[in-house]
mmCIF file of all heavy atoms in Angstrom:
data_model
loop_
_atom_site.group_PDB
_atom_site.id
_atom_site.type_symbol
_atom_site.label_atom_id
_atom_site.label_comp_id
_atom_site.label_asym_id
_atom_site.label_seq_id
_atom_site.Cartn_x
_atom_site.Cartn_y
_atom_site.Cartn_z
ATOM 1 N N ASP I 134 93.235 78.103 108.436
ATOM 2 C CA ASP I 134 93.131 79.565 108.404
ATOM 3 C C ASP I 134 92.440 80.072 107.260
ATOM 4 O O ASP I 134 92.347 81.287 107.044
ATOM 5 C CB ASP I 134 94.463 80.183 108.544
ATOM 6 C CG ASP I 134 95.400 79.894 107.371
ATOM 7 O OD1 ASP I 134 94.911 79.288 106.394
ATOM 8 O OD2 ASP I 134 96.588 80.270 107.394
ATOM 9 N N GLY I 135 91.894 79.182 106.322
ATOM 10 C CA GLY I 135 91.179 79.608 105.162
ATOM 11 C C GLY I 135 92.019 80.022 103.970
ATOM 12 O O GLY I 135 91.487 80.438 102.970
ATOM 13 N N GLY I 136 93.382 80.018 104.134
ATOM 14 C CA GLY I 136 94.226 80.405 103.005
ATOM 15 C C GLY I 136 94.479 79.346 102.079
ATOM 16 O O GLY I 136 94.380 78.173 102.410
ATOM 17 N N SER I 137 94.875 79.808 100.835
ATOM 18 C CA SER I 137 95.218 78.787 99.860
ATOM 19 C C SER I 137 96.668 78.594 99.593
ATOM 20 O O SER I 137 97.154 77.637 98.899
ATOM 21 C CB SER I 137 94.583 79.289 98.449
ATOM 22 O OG SER I 137 95.217 80.500 97.981
ATOM 23 N N GLY I 138 97.477 79.479 100.200
ATOM 24 C CA GLY I 138 98.911 79.360 100.001
ATOM 25 C C GLY I 138 99.382 79.997 98.711
ATOM 26 O O GLY I 138 100.549 79.789 98.278
ATOM 27 N N LEU I 139 98.506 80.828 98.082
ATOM 28 C CA LEU I 139 98.812 81.421 96.847
ATOM 29 C C LEU I 139 98.937 82.922 96.877
ATOM 30 O O LEU I 139 99.458 83.603 95.960
ATOM 31 C CB LEU I 139 97.678 81.127 95.784
ATOM 32 C CG LEU I 139 97.665 79.706 95.264
ATOM 33 C CD1 LEU I 139 96.415 79.489 94.374
ATOM 34 C CD2 LEU I 139 98.896 79.342 94.446
ATOM 35 N N GLY I 140 98.439 83.578 97.988
ATOM 36 C CA GLY I 140 98.459 85.005 98.069
ATOM 37 C C GLY I 140 99.726 85.652 97.902
ATOM 38 O O GLY I 140 99.924 86.631 97.138
ATOM 39 N N LEU I 141 100.738 85.241 98.667
ATOM 40 C CA LEU I 141 102.059 85.792 98.599
ATOM 41 C C LEU I 141 102.771 85.585 97.318
ATOM 42 O O LEU I 141 103.481 86.382 96.784
ATOM 43 C CB LEU I 141 102.948 85.470 99.774
ATOM 44 C CG LEU I 141 102.503 86.088 101.137
ATOM 45 C CD1 LEU I 141 103.290 85.514 102.278
ATOM 46 C CD2 LEU I 141 102.639 87.613 101.090
ATOM 47 N N TYR I 142 102.528 84.293 96.740
ATOM 48 C CA TYR I 142 103.133 83.945 95.494
ATOM 49 C C TYR I 142 102.659 84.812 94.419
ATOM 50 O O TYR I 142 103.425 85.382 93.628
ATOM 51 C CB TYR I 142 102.841 82.465 95.138
ATOM 52 C CG TYR I 142 103.342 82.047 93.791
ATOM 53 C CD1 TYR I 142 104.624 81.730 93.506
ATOM 54 C CD2 TYR I 142 102.387 82.014 92.769
ATOM 55 C CE1 TYR I 142 105.017 81.288 92.218
ATOM 56 C CE2 TYR I 142 102.734 81.549 91.501
ATOM 57 C CZ TYR I 142 104.078 81.225 91.229
ATOM 58 O OH TYR I 142 104.482 80.846 90.015
ATOM 59 N N ILE I 143 101.319 85.035 94.384
ATOM 60 C CA ILE I 143 100.662 85.912 93.319
ATOM 61 C C ILE I 143 101.156 87.329 93.512
ATOM 62 O O ILE I 143 101.475 88.062 92.597
ATOM 63 C CB ILE I 143 99.166 85.751 93.446
ATOM 64 C CG1 ILE I 143 98.744 84.432 92.924
ATOM 65 C CG2 ILE I 143 98.550 86.844 92.604
ATOM 66 C CD1 ILE I 143 97.222 84.127 93.169
ATOM 67 N N SER I 144 101.201 87.788 94.806
ATOM 68 C CA SER I 144 101.578 89.175 95.093
ATOM 69 C C SER I 144 103.018 89.473 94.559
ATOM 70 O O SER I 144 103.294 90.527 93.971
ATOM 71 C CB SER I 144 101.512 89.530 96.564
ATOM 72 O OG SER I 144 100.173 89.413 96.990
ATOM 73 N N ARG I 145 103.924 88.498 94.766
ATOM 74 C CA ARG I 145 105.387 88.786 94.313
ATOM 75 C C ARG I 145 105.388 88.796 92.741
ATOM 76 O O ARG I 145 106.019 89.620 92.200
ATOM 77 C CB ARG I 145 106.258 87.714 94.901
ATOM 78 C CG ARG I 145 107.729 87.760 94.242
ATOM 79 C CD ARG I 145 108.616 86.787 94.806
ATOM 80 N NE ARG I 145 109.379 87.339 95.953
ATOM 81 C CZ ARG I 145 110.407 86.796 96.581
ATOM 82 N NH1 ARG I 145 110.778 85.572 96.226
ATOM 83 N NH2 ARG I 145 111.030 87.424 97.609
ATOM 84 N N ARG I 146 104.590 87.856 92.178
ATOM 85 C CA ARG I 146 104.502 87.817 90.635
ATOM 86 C C ARG I 146 103.974 89.169 90.125
ATOM 87 O O ARG I 146 104.555 89.739 89.166
ATOM 88 C CB ARG I 146 103.674 86.665 90.208
ATOM 89 C CG ARG I 146 104.180 85.318 90.494
ATOM 90 C CD ARG I 146 105.305 84.923 89.608
ATOM 91 N NE ARG I 146 105.041 84.927 88.186
ATOM 92 C CZ ARG I 146 105.359 83.942 87.364
ATOM 93 N NH1 ARG I 146 105.943 82.864 87.739
ATOM 94 N NH2 ARG I 146 105.090 84.117 86.005
ATOM 95 N N LEU I 147 102.889 89.758 90.832
ATOM 96 C CA LEU I 147 102.467 90.993 90.422
ATOM 97 C C LEU I 147 103.426 92.158 90.568
ATOM 98 O O LEU I 147 103.602 92.946 89.714
ATOM 99 C CB LEU I 147 101.135 91.347 91.209
ATOM 100 C CG LEU I 147 99.936 90.559 90.893
ATOM 101 C CD1 LEU I 147 98.812 90.792 91.898
ATOM 102 C CD2 LEU I 147 99.417 90.741 89.476
ATOM 103 N N ALA I 148 104.109 92.102 91.692
ATOM 104 C CA ALA I 148 105.149 93.157 92.020
ATOM 105 C C ALA I 148 106.247 93.097 90.950
ATOM 106 O O ALA I 148 106.667 94.122 90.369
ATOM 107 C CB ALA I 148 105.749 92.968 93.383
ATOM 108 N N ARG I 149 106.713 91.965 90.541
ATOM 109 C CA ARG I 149 107.836 91.793 89.651
ATOM 110 C C ARG I 149 107.280 92.114 88.229
ATOM 111 O O ARG I 149 108.098 92.687 87.412
ATOM 112 C CB ARG I 149 108.365 90.388 89.670
ATOM 113 C CG ARG I 149 109.179 90.200 90.918
ATOM 114 C CD ARG I 149 109.775 88.789 91.063
ATOM 115 N NE ARG I 149 110.655 88.690 92.252
ATOM 116 C CZ ARG I 149 111.266 87.646 92.705
ATOM 117 N NH1 ARG I 149 111.126 86.507 91.998
ATOM 118 N NH2 ARG I 149 112.004 87.644 93.774
ATOM 119 N N ALA I 150 106.021 91.847 87.935
ATOM 120 C CA ALA I 150 105.456 92.252 86.566
ATOM 121 C C ALA I 150 105.347 93.787 86.491
ATOM 122 O O ALA I 150 105.374 94.274 85.374
ATOM 123 C CB ALA I 150 104.092 91.651 86.445
ATOM 124 N N MET I 151 105.332 94.522 87.588
ATOM 125 C CA MET I 151 105.338 95.967 87.542
ATOM 126 C C MET I 151 106.731 96.464 87.673
ATOM 127 O O MET I 151 106.903 97.654 88.137
ATOM 128 C CB MET I 151 104.384 96.433 88.656
ATOM 129 C CG MET I 151 102.959 96.141 88.513
ATOM 130 S SD MET I 151 101.751 96.944 89.647
ATOM 131 C CE MET I 151 102.131 95.987 91.173
ATOM 132 N N ASN I 152 107.775 95.657 87.399
ATOM 133 C CA ASN I 152 109.195 96.043 87.482
ATOM 134 C C ASN I 152 109.550 96.433 88.905
ATOM 135 O O ASN I 152 110.452 97.292 89.104
ATOM 136 C CB ASN I 152 109.447 97.223 86.552
ATOM 137 C CG ASN I 152 109.204 96.960 85.107
ATOM 138 O OD1 ASN I 152 109.649 95.898 84.673
ATOM 139 N ND2 ASN I 152 108.527 97.810 84.378
ATOM 140 N N GLY I 153 109.012 95.681 89.865
ATOM 141 C CA GLY I 153 109.344 95.919 91.265
ATOM 142 C C GLY I 153 109.662 94.555 91.918
ATOM 143 O O GLY I 153 110.109 93.658 91.331
ATOM 144 N N ASP I 154 109.410 94.483 93.197
ATOM 145 C CA ASP I 154 109.681 93.239 93.935
ATOM 146 C C ASP I 154 108.921 93.241 95.198
ATOM 147 O O ASP I 154 108.342 94.274 95.674
ATOM 148 C CB ASP I 154 111.181 93.078 94.211
ATOM 149 C CG ASP I 154 111.557 91.618 94.410
ATOM 150 O OD1 ASP I 154 110.686 90.745 94.420
ATOM 151 O OD2 ASP I 154 112.764 91.367 94.532
ATOM 152 N N LEU I 155 108.809 92.081 95.862
ATOM 153 C CA LEU I 155 108.224 91.899 97.186
ATOM 154 C C LEU I 155 109.161 91.053 98.027
ATOM 155 O O LEU I 155 109.419 89.933 97.597
ATOM 156 C CB LEU I 155 106.836 91.264 97.072
ATOM 157 C CG LEU I 155 106.110 90.949 98.377
ATOM 158 C CD1 LEU I 155 105.770 92.272 99.066
ATOM 159 C CD2 LEU I 155 104.751 90.249 98.083
ATOM 160 N N THR I 156 109.598 91.564 99.126
ATOM 161 C CA THR I 156 110.506 90.957 100.076
ATOM 162 C C THR I 156 110.045 90.911 101.431
ATOM 163 O O THR I 156 109.074 91.585 101.854
ATOM 164 C CB THR I 156 111.937 91.696 99.991
ATOM 165 O OG1 THR I 156 111.692 93.051 100.373
ATOM 166 C CG2 THR I 156 112.441 91.573 98.562
ATOM 167 N N VAL I 157 110.731 90.066 102.271
ATOM 168 C CA VAL I 157 110.343 89.973 103.707
ATOM 169 C C VAL I 157 111.564 90.027 104.585
ATOM 170 O O VAL I 157 112.682 89.501 104.204
ATOM 171 C CB VAL I 157 109.603 88.647 103.884
ATOM 172 C CG1 VAL I 157 110.398 87.503 103.675
ATOM 173 C CG2 VAL I 157 109.036 88.624 105.423
ATOM 174 N N GLU I 158 111.509 90.631 105.723
ATOM 175 C CA GLU I 158 112.416 90.619 106.768
ATOM 176 C C GLU I 158 111.748 90.167 108.082
ATOM 177 O O GLU I 158 110.643 90.732 108.368
ATOM 178 C CB GLU I 158 113.089 91.997 106.976
ATOM 179 C CG GLU I 158 113.791 92.595 105.780
ATOM 180 C CD GLU I 158 114.257 94.025 106.086
ATOM 181 O OE1 GLU I 158 115.179 94.198 107.015
ATOM 182 O OE2 GLU I 158 113.728 94.932 105.418
ATOM 183 N N SER I 159 112.258 89.248 108.792
ATOM 184 C CA SER I 159 111.666 88.737 109.941
ATOM 185 C C SER I 159 112.648 87.950 110.879
ATOM 186 O O SER I 159 113.727 87.625 110.489
ATOM 187 C CB SER I 159 110.411 87.897 109.562
ATOM 188 O OG SER I 159 109.732 87.392 110.648
ATOM 189 N N ALA I 160 112.149 87.742 112.048
ATOM 190 C CA ALA I 160 112.868 86.878 112.974
ATOM 191 C C ALA I 160 111.833 86.199 113.883
ATOM 192 O O ALA I 160 110.849 86.850 114.236
ATOM 193 C CB ALA I 160 113.900 87.603 113.825
ATOM 194 N N LYS I 161 112.133 84.979 114.258
ATOM 195 C CA LYS I 161 111.116 84.250 115.109
ATOM 196 C C LYS I 161 110.767 84.984 116.379
ATOM 197 O O LYS I 161 111.650 85.441 117.060
ATOM 198 C CB LYS I 161 111.603 82.847 115.333
ATOM 199 C CG LYS I 161 110.543 81.890 115.687
ATOM 200 C CD LYS I 161 109.658 81.597 114.553
ATOM 201 C CE LYS I 161 108.629 80.502 114.763
ATOM 202 N NZ LYS I 161 107.677 80.213 113.722
ATOM 203 N N GLY I 162 109.516 85.237 116.559
ATOM 204 C CA GLY I 162 109.073 85.926 117.798
ATOM 205 C C GLY I 162 109.141 87.410 117.656
ATOM 206 O O GLY I 162 108.733 88.114 118.673
ATOM 207 N N GLN I 163 109.543 88.013 116.499
ATOM 208 C CA GLN I 163 109.648 89.423 116.383
ATOM 209 C C GLN I 163 108.831 90.047 115.239
ATOM 210 O O GLN I 163 109.145 91.097 114.724
ATOM 211 C CB GLN I 163 111.160 89.760 116.177
ATOM 212 C CG GLN I 163 112.030 89.415 117.346
ATOM 213 C CD GLN I 163 113.541 89.761 117.167
ATOM 214 O OE1 GLN I 163 113.763 90.652 116.389
ATOM 215 N NE2 GLN I 163 114.362 89.091 117.910
ATOM 216 N N GLY I 164 107.831 89.332 114.816
ATOM 217 C CA GLY I 164 106.921 89.930 113.779
ATOM 218 C C GLY I 164 107.655 89.775 112.365
ATOM 219 O O GLY I 164 108.674 89.136 112.322
ATOM 220 N N ALA I 165 106.932 90.343 111.427
ATOM 221 C CA ALA I 165 107.450 90.317 110.019
ATOM 222 C C ALA I 165 107.285 91.712 109.343
ATOM 223 O O ALA I 165 106.346 92.448 109.644
ATOM 224 C CB ALA I 165 106.788 89.237 109.196
ATOM 225 N N ARG I 166 108.177 92.045 108.412
ATOM 226 C CA ARG I 166 108.129 93.221 107.621
ATOM 227 C C ARG I 166 108.105 92.844 106.166
ATOM 228 O O ARG I 166 109.153 92.354 105.665
ATOM 229 C CB ARG I 166 109.274 94.193 107.859
ATOM 230 C CG ARG I 166 109.261 94.862 109.254
ATOM 231 C CD ARG I 166 110.625 95.466 109.582
ATOM 232 N NE ARG I 166 111.216 96.183 108.482
ATOM 233 C CZ ARG I 166 111.047 97.510 108.206
ATOM 234 N NH1 ARG I 166 110.306 98.259 109.117
ATOM 235 N NH2 ARG I 166 111.529 98.147 107.198
ATOM 236 N N PHE I 167 106.973 93.041 105.430
ATOM 237 C CA PHE I 167 106.961 92.812 104.098
ATOM 238 C C PHE I 167 107.076 94.126 103.330
ATOM 239 O O PHE I 167 106.423 95.113 103.648
ATOM 240 C CB PHE I 167 105.620 92.121 103.622
ATOM 241 C CG PHE I 167 105.569 90.636 104.083
ATOM 242 C CD1 PHE I 167 105.176 90.305 105.314
ATOM 243 C CD2 PHE I 167 105.939 89.725 103.140
ATOM 244 C CE1 PHE I 167 105.156 88.963 105.681
ATOM 245 C CE2 PHE I 167 105.950 88.309 103.474
ATOM 246 C CZ PHE I 167 105.552 87.970 104.787
ATOM 247 N N THR I 168 107.951 94.139 102.237
ATOM 248 C CA THR I 168 108.174 95.425 101.587
ATOM 249 C C THR I 168 107.810 95.244 100.077
ATOM 250 O O THR I 168 108.390 94.447 99.360
ATOM 251 C CB THR I 168 109.607 95.852 101.698
ATOM 252 O OG1 THR I 168 109.992 96.009 102.995
ATOM 253 C CG2 THR I 168 109.916 97.165 100.893
ATOM 254 N N LEU I 169 106.826 96.077 99.603
ATOM 255 C CA LEU I 169 106.451 96.152 98.219
ATOM 256 C C LEU I 169 107.266 97.285 97.634
ATOM 257 O O LEU I 169 107.240 98.382 98.114
ATOM 258 C CB LEU I 169 104.954 96.379 98.073
ATOM 259 C CG LEU I 169 104.488 96.776 96.648
ATOM 260 C CD1 LEU I 169 104.762 95.581 95.616
ATOM 261 C CD2 LEU I 169 103.000 97.199 96.588
ATOM 262 N N GLU I 170 107.979 96.948 96.531
ATOM 263 C CA GLU I 170 108.815 98.061 95.847
ATOM 264 C C GLU I 170 108.385 98.053 94.354
ATOM 265 O O GLU I 170 108.339 97.123 93.727
ATOM 266 C CB GLU I 170 110.263 97.625 96.018
ATOM 267 C CG GLU I 170 111.158 98.709 95.384
ATOM 268 C CD GLU I 170 112.667 98.439 95.570
ATOM 269 O OE1 GLU I 170 113.156 98.570 96.680
ATOM 270 O OE2 GLU I 170 113.239 97.753 94.652
ATOM 271 N N ILE I 171 108.095 99.250 93.935
ATOM 272 C CA ILE I 171 107.760 99.497 92.524
ATOM 273 C C ILE I 171 108.471 100.750 92.130
ATOM 274 O O ILE I 171 109.007 101.574 92.926
ATOM 275 C CB ILE I 171 106.261 99.697 92.228
ATOM 276 C CG1 ILE I 171 105.712 100.811 93.099
ATOM 277 C CG2 ILE I 171 105.591 98.320 92.495
ATOM 278 C CD1 ILE I 171 104.216 100.959 92.859
ATOM 279 N N PRO I 172 108.617 101.019 90.744
ATOM 280 C CA PRO I 172 109.450 102.175 90.322
ATOM 281 C C PRO I 172 108.704 103.437 90.791
ATOM 282 O O PRO I 172 107.525 103.641 90.825
ATOM 283 C CB PRO I 172 109.301 102.149 88.818
ATOM 284 C CG PRO I 172 109.138 100.628 88.588
ATOM 285 C CD PRO I 172 108.220 100.211 89.668
#
């Protein structure tokens, strides 16, 4: 798929460096919800 496997790891590190977080909610066959949270 052309990915490196680093995108989400880097994104979470960036979110936490901005005093926030990056989380996921999902279930098999029901899509995914990624939440970026910052102050």
Side-chain angles (χ1 to χ4, degrees):
D134 63 6
S137 65
L139 288 172
L141 289 174
Y142 174 81
I143 290 172
S144 293
R145 174 176 268 189
R146 294 286 301 225
L147 289 173
R149 290 179 174 177
M151 292 187 290
N152 297 315
D154 204 356
L155 179 61
T156 57
V157 63
E158 299 175 65
S159 184
K161 203 65 176 176
Q163 298 182 23
R166 289 167 45 94
F167 285 86
T168 301
L169 169 65
E170 181 178 280
I171 57 177

